[in-house]
Every structure is written in C-alpha cells, then in structure tokens.
C-alpha cells in the first residue's frame, strides 16, 4: 500500500465557510446546486453533533490509505480554526 497525502479537502473554502453567499467551490463562486448540497452536508454534520469543517478535515482519514491531510490557511485565525477542527472527534 502506498500512503496518500490528501490536499484540497475544503474545496476552495466552501467546506470551511458553509453555504454562504459568494462561497468558493473549485476556485469559483459556488452555484446554487452546490450551495444546496453543502447546506445538506452542513445539516448532516450538525445532526451528528459536529461541524462541517471538522467533518471535511477528518473524512479523508477514514481511509486506511490516507496518511495525512494538508490544510491551508489564509490567516493565522484560519489556521487556528482548522487545527482545532482537525482535532475535534467526528462520529462515524
């Protein structure tokens, strides 16, 4: 098995911000369809008593082939939020 390092898990930020106006998806403004899908993911995360950000950062690590997840941050506050979210337990 070759371990994988996964990047881009927040998909240009939309999985960190949620379905807000002007959210970015694949480096473009998210379409209404994508905003609807992200809204559903956000609701499912809340129902599981976690956040969309935590779920997005932890999901790739559910695969045995993933060794690490790269997280980016535009600001020190984003880095702190991402690190906190990455350490938050997420139910299966």
């Amino acid at each position: 098995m070759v371990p994988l390092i996964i990047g881009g898990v927040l998909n240009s930020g939309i999985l960190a911000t949620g379905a807000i106006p002007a959210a970015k998806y694949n480096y473009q403004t998210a379409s209404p369809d994508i905003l609807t899908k992200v809204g559903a993911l956000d609701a499912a995360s809340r129902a599981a008593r976690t956040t969309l950000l935590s779920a997005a950062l932890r999901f790739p690590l559910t695969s045995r082939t993933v060794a690490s997840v790269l997280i980016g941050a535009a600001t020190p506050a984003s880095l702190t939020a991402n690190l906190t979210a990455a350490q938050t337990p997420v139910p299966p």
Side-chain angles (χ1 to χ4, degrees), residues 49-79:
R49 298 179 191 248
T50 192
T51 65
L52 180 60
L53 176 58
S54 291
L57 292 172
R58 302 283 304 221
F59 177 75
L61 296 171
T62 62
S63 172
R64 293 181 305 138
T65 60
V66 175
S68 184
V69 172
L70 299 175
I71 57 173
T75 66
S78 293
L79 178 59

Side-chain angles (χ1 to χ4, degrees):
M1 174 180 74
V2 176
L4 300 176
I5 299 172
I6 305 299
V9 297
L10 300 179
N11 208 293
S12 303
I14 195 165
L15 296 180
T17 64
I20 61 170
K24 299 296 182 195
Y25 172 77
N26 285 346
Y27 306 103
Q28 298 178 9
T29 300
S31 69
D33 181 52
I34 294 297
L35 291 174
T36 299
K37 289 176 181 179
V38 169
L41 289 171
D42 191 22
S45 297
R46 282 186 273 116
R49 298 179 191 248
T50 192
T51 65
L52 180 60
L53 176 58
S54 291
L57 292 172
R58 302 283 304 221
F59 177 75
L61 296 171
T62 62
S63 172
R64 293 181 305 138
T65 60
V66 175
S68 184
V69 172
L70 299 175
I71 57 173
T75 66
S78 293
L79 178 59
T80 299
N82 290 346
L83 291 173
T84 299
Q87 295 171 357
T88 301
V90 175

